[in-house]
Amino acid sequence: MNPQVVHEKQPFDVSWRTIGDLKIRYAAAGRGDKLVLFSPWPESILAFAPVWSGLTQRFEVLAIDLPGFGGSEGRDDLFAPQKMGEFIVNAMDAFGAKSVHAVGLDVASPSVLFAASARPALFRSLVVGAGAATFPLIVEGTLKSMIEAPTLPPLNSAEVIGGFLGSIRGYAVPRFVRDDYLASYEGDRLTRSAALVRAYPKDLAFLATRLGSINTPTSIIVGRNDPYGLAKDAEVLRRQLPHSRLDVLEAGHCFWEERAPEFETIVTQWVNGGFEK
């Protein structure tokens, strides 16, 4: 097991910008090539706390909480990968971001792929992983149950997030991060945001018709022991994307925290020219 990694001080300040009719939370720092990070679920942009310092020393980094996730306001019609992909395109326009390297992990993975399919000129490269992106769906465990349930009962955010964070190995989640996640999904926000994964069957069936035409260089990263079966999904995605590579880390789901140094190295080398090879 990795030694416990602790980051007790929040490494960046957050701000808000109104995009459309929604107040969106983001953080920005650094100089260099533009790197945009989209938050995983049920986390937030604070999931990138372990790698923030290293990445902002090398790149101009913009981290965004997608609508309804983290600290951003949400809207029910956006809780689907294709619609979220449209939002990502609009967000890039709102920030004046062009020719960016985009990192979309977990639920952001299929949304980033939809965005690249819709507006390929916006993206120099993609980094995706730990999110279902192929069809027929390759998912297991609680994710599969959540997607297939006829109806989804209200989720207890404290219970779900507590259990989720307890499963992350080798990373002592700082209190400020834990508190942010709990605040981000209080009330019915966790249940509402779960609608995005429940939209996977329809949207990923459509995405499957587009994957072969996405020519944006794509780095796929996944944990070998992902409990949701997403290591298998990543292997299929690698075969279906024309210009992609796959890194399988010795980790569970949250490799960006469990294996933060390796994740940071992969992203850094990729953005520094690896995507061109």
Side-chain angles (χ1 to χ4, degrees):
M1 182 182 297
N2 291 340
Q4 291 287 309
V5 179
V6 182
H7 302 265
E8 289 297 350
K9 183 178 179 182
Q10 182 165 324
F12 50 79
D13 296 323
V14 298
S15 302
W16 281 264
R17 175 170 297 190
T18 299
I19 301 176
D21 60 346
L22 299 175
K23 189 177 180 182
I24 300 300
R25 187 173 71 165
Y26 72 95
R31 298 178 62 183
D33 288 336
K34 190 80 168 186
L35 180 65
V36 184
L37 313 174
F38 297 100
S39 61
W41 178 70
E43 300 184 318
S44 73
I45 53 176
L46 270 65
F48 300 112
V51 298
W52 186 257
S53 177
L55 292 179
T56 56
Q57 288 177 23
R58 301 175 178 90
F59 311 114
E60 180 184 356
V61 183
L62 170 65
I64 300 175
D65 275 332
L66 292 170
F69 297 87
S72 291
E73 291 181 340
R75 200 173 65 227
D76 287 346
D77 65 295
L78 293 178
F79 290 131
Q82 185 174 6
K83 285 294 185 181
M84 199 63 80
E86 293 173 6
F87 171 83
I88 288 173
V89 170
N90 292 335
M92 295 300 91
D93 291 342
F95 280 100
K98 300 178 180 178
S99 191
V100 306
H101 300 274
V103 178
L105 305 176
D106 192 73
V107 295
S109 289
S111 300
V112 164
L113 290 168
F114 266 116
S117 174
R119 188 88 75 80
L122 276 177
F123 304 97
R124 294 185 71 189
S125 80
L126 309 176
V127 178
V128 300
T134 64
F135 191 85
L137 271 73
I138 306 174
V139 294
E140 298 175 2
T142 56
L143 177 59
K144 179 179 175 68
S145 299
M146 187 176 294
I147 293 170
E148 295 181 348
T151 59
L152 189 66
L155 300 174
N156 183 316
S157 59
E159 181 180 308
V160 172
I161 292 172
F164 181 84
L165 296 184
S167 70
I168 302 175
R169 302 180 64 185
Y171 177 57
V173 182
R175 180 173 294 277
F176 74 87
V177 173
R178 183 183 297 270
D179 289 348
D180 183 78
Y181 296 167
L182 291 171
S184 293
Y185 299 100
E186 64 183 357
D188 67 348
R189 277 177 58 94
L190 185 64
T191 305
R192 288 178 63 198
S193 60
L196 192 144
V197 299
R198 287 173 60 78
Y200 278 0
K202 177 184 175 186
D203 279 27
L204 296 190
F206 183 48
L207 180 61
T209 68
R210 295 187 169 193
L211 288 176
S213 63
I214 297 176
N215 290 309
T216 307
T218 303
S219 169
I220 306 164
I221 312 173
V222 73
R224 188 182 307 279
N225 302 313
D226 190 300
Y228 310 120
L230 298 173
K232 298 176 183 177
D233 175 88
E235 293 174 358
V236 175
L237 183 62
R238 166 65 184 89
R239 294 195 295 269
Q240 294 182 349
L241 284 173
H243 302 287
S244 62
R245 57 166 285 176
L246 173 62
D247 286 287
V248 181
L249 304 184
E250 294 299 331
H253 183 69
C254 298
F255 58 78
W256 50 92
E257 289 157 324
E258 289 188 25
R259 295 289 183 175
E262 291 174 68
F263 170 61
E264 182 181 323
T265 296
I266 291 170
V267 172
T268 298
Q269 293 178 348
W270 178 256
V271 176
N272 278 340
F275 73 97
E276 296 177 313
K277 297 178 181 178

